[in-house]
Amino acid sequence: MSDETDTQARRRVVVVGAGMAGVQTAVALREQGFTGTVTLIGAEPHQPYDRPPLSKAVLLGKAEGSAFEVDFEALGIELRLGVEVLGVRPADHELDAAGGPVPYDVLVLATGAEPIRLPGAEGVPGVHLLRTLDDAERLRPVLARQHDIVVVGAGWIGAEFATAARDAGCAVTVVEAADRPLAGALPAEVATPMTAWYADAGAALRTHARVAHIEPGEVVLDDGSRLPADAVVVGIGARPATSWLSGSGVDLGAHGEVVADAGLRTSLPDVYAVGDCASFPSGRYGERLLVHHWDNALQGPRTIAANIIGETPSVYDPVPYFWSEQFGRFVQYAGHHASADTVLWRGDPSGPAWTVCWLRENRLVALLAVGRPRDLAQGRRLIEAGTELDPELLPDPGRPLKAAVV
């Protein structure tokens, strides 16, 4: 055994967080040939699981769970589940965890995000979040009883839960403080057509509606109106789960996220961060991105593994991607539209299938595809390549996106 191989075999990598980002980091290390110790620590007692099915198949009782199909034992990955991590002492290269300190040579922060709670709703019976497997299992019998349900927040998770609740036969009212669904994610002209989806599915959508307080069996809005609610599901966003890093010396950003560099390294030596808990600088878009989506948690770990092993240093600069299934529609988004100077539509937004393209200097920087997966697939490649497009040809929905290449 060479000295270099021997050194790697003695290195201890500890990954905090057993969601998609943490699991994929551990797996990527093994796939890329890392021979040292890999320990994966998760706060929940369950086998590591995937989150997207929670708002779909698991919630509706079509699946019992969504555990990752990973043979951790065969990969030589040590699982420590049901363990809360309390802090990190970088000078000692140790974590403080329930049950005692955990030493590391390399630490990966993959603690994800935690849902924002509705002020005043803690402890009120019938108020739910939807983030964990336990949350989904608590909500499943609620849907089965076909209750009156109020959803607070018309973002991605609110729409997905409302979809599942309507599929289960529940009466659903969604209340949103903004003037439209997805106000924090999409411009008004793009999100406004989605308003009709709620009524089409038999769900009531109330915009400009703020919750004053919640009582058992009722949601009281700030205009004094009362909504019957056997259950309330809060989906008003999530924030990086980083409070445990207070005092550690890890640099945090404006949203409480870990500030990582282009290689997903943090401000501390031998400490990396990936997934929902971390932002990274995008050379492609010229700004720092904080991406709370599944694909980011899937892709980032490969960069971290390469940089831990150190043979071929890697830079993380993805085209962000996510999808949502709501009200019978498959919605996909790729890119980042903030810097666009032109918006072009393909298809009629009142119809079942349409696409929005955002361009900067005739190059695609983002697109949203509703029921047009081919547009998404071609568009994502065009964004990655930075290809110049003809804006006169792009709006024709009968013409493939790639046919607009100059």
Side-chain angles (χ1 to χ4, degrees):
M1 182 182 291
S2 68
D3 290 345
E4 185 176 327
T5 304
D6 186 49
T7 299
Q8 187 190 114
R10 290 198 303 268
R11 294 172 79 198
R12 300 164 296 186
V13 176
V14 176
V15 182
V16 182
M20 171 62 79
V23 167
Q24 290 300 322
T25 297
V27 170
L29 282 164
R30 291 300 189 225
E31 287 180 345
Q32 295 183 32
F34 182 73
T35 57
T37 300
V38 178
T39 301
L40 184 62
I41 300 177
E44 295 181 57
H46 309 291
Q47 278 290 114
Y49 61 87
D50 203 7
R51 292 191 190 278
L54 298 185
S55 61
K56 304 174 185 72
V58 174
L59 190 60
L60 291 170
K62 297 175 181 177
E64 285 304 310
S66 55
F68 291 113
E69 293 183 4
V70 175
D71 191 333
F72 294 100
E73 185 176 353
L75 289 171
I77 296 168
E78 179 193 7
L79 285 182
R80 296 192 188 180
L81 302 176
V83 175
E84 184 181 3
V85 177
L86 308 171
V88 57
R89 288 177 283 108
D92 300 324
H93 272 57
E94 277 190 344
L95 289 172
D96 289 319
V102 180
Y104 67 85
D105 295 308
V106 179
L107 176 64
V108 180
L109 310 176
T111 44
E114 56 195 5
I116 297 171
R117 297 177 181 272
L118 189 67
E122 289 88 347
V124 179
V127 177
H128 300 263
L129 299 167
L130 180 52
R131 181 72 183 180
T132 68
L133 181 59
D134 289 342
D135 292 338
E137 289 180 345
R138 278 190 289 268
L139 276 163
R140 191 156 57 183
V142 173
L143 266 60
R145 289 194 292 267
Q146 299 185 336
H147 279 171
D148 290 333
I149 293 178
V150 172
V151 180
V152 183
W156 300 112
I157 192 66
E160 291 187 1
F161 178 81
T163 299
R166 285 299 299 139
D167 286 349
C170 299
V172 178
T173 301
V174 181
V175 296
E176 168 58 53
D179 62 349
R180 62 187 188 274
L182 297 167
L186 296 172
E189 63 180 313
V190 178
T192 298
M194 299 176 177
T195 302
W197 298 358
Y198 288 77
D200 291 347
L205 173 63
R206 296 188 57 162
T207 56
H208 300 286
R210 292 186 177 275
V211 175
H213 63 276
I214 298 175
E215 300 174 1
E218 282 190 321
V219 173
V220 183
L221 302 181
D222 61 0
D223 65 0
S225 58
R226 292 173 174 265
L227 304 175
D230 297 306
V232 179
V233 176
V234 178
I236 56 175
R239 60 168 64 94
T242 57
S243 59
W244 67 281
L245 293 169
S246 176
S248 67
V250 173
D251 284 350
L252 300 180
H255 302 283
E257 85 282 8
V258 178
V259 176
D261 70 8
L264 299 181
R265 301 173 188 84
T266 73
S267 57
L268 295 180
D270 304 317
V271 181
Y272 295 78
V274 65
D276 290 4
C277 72
S279 65
F280 57 90
S282 171
R284 186 187 310 276
Y285 291 105
E287 62 180 285
R288 180 166 286 276
L289 299 182
L290 176 60
V291 180
H292 280 191
H293 293 297
W294 183 91
D295 193 64
N296 179 51
L298 176 67
Q299 304 294 342
R302 297 168 190 163
T303 296
I304 285 187
N307 289 330
I308 288 174
I309 294 168
E311 293 172 3
T312 52
S314 180
V315 168
Y316 189 57
D317 194 9
V319 172
Y321 166 74
F322 71 88
W323 81 96
S324 176
E325 296 175 73
Q326 50 184 270
F327 307 118
R329 292 166 173 85
F330 187 42
V331 183
Q332 295 172 285
Y333 177 96
H336 181 63
H337 63 263
S339 64
D341 55 34
T342 304
V343 180
L344 296 174
W345 292 74
R346 289 166 56 80
D348 180 355
S350 66
W354 45 274
T355 296
V356 182
C357 298
W358 286 271
L359 285 79
R360 185 178 65 235
E361 298 174 353
N362 291 342
R363 287 173 168 80
L364 196 64
V365 294
L367 84 162
L368 176 87
V370 177
R372 292 182 65 94
R374 183 175 297 177
D375 276 6
L376 189 287
Q378 293 182 11
R380 193 175 184 181
R381 289 193 289 268
L382 291 170
I383 296 171
E384 289 171 348
T387 308
E388 187 174 352
L389 303 175
D390 184 339
E392 299 294 322
L393 300 178
L394 205 57
D396 180 358
R399 184 189 300 267
L401 261 178
K402 62 184 179 182
V405 171
V406 173

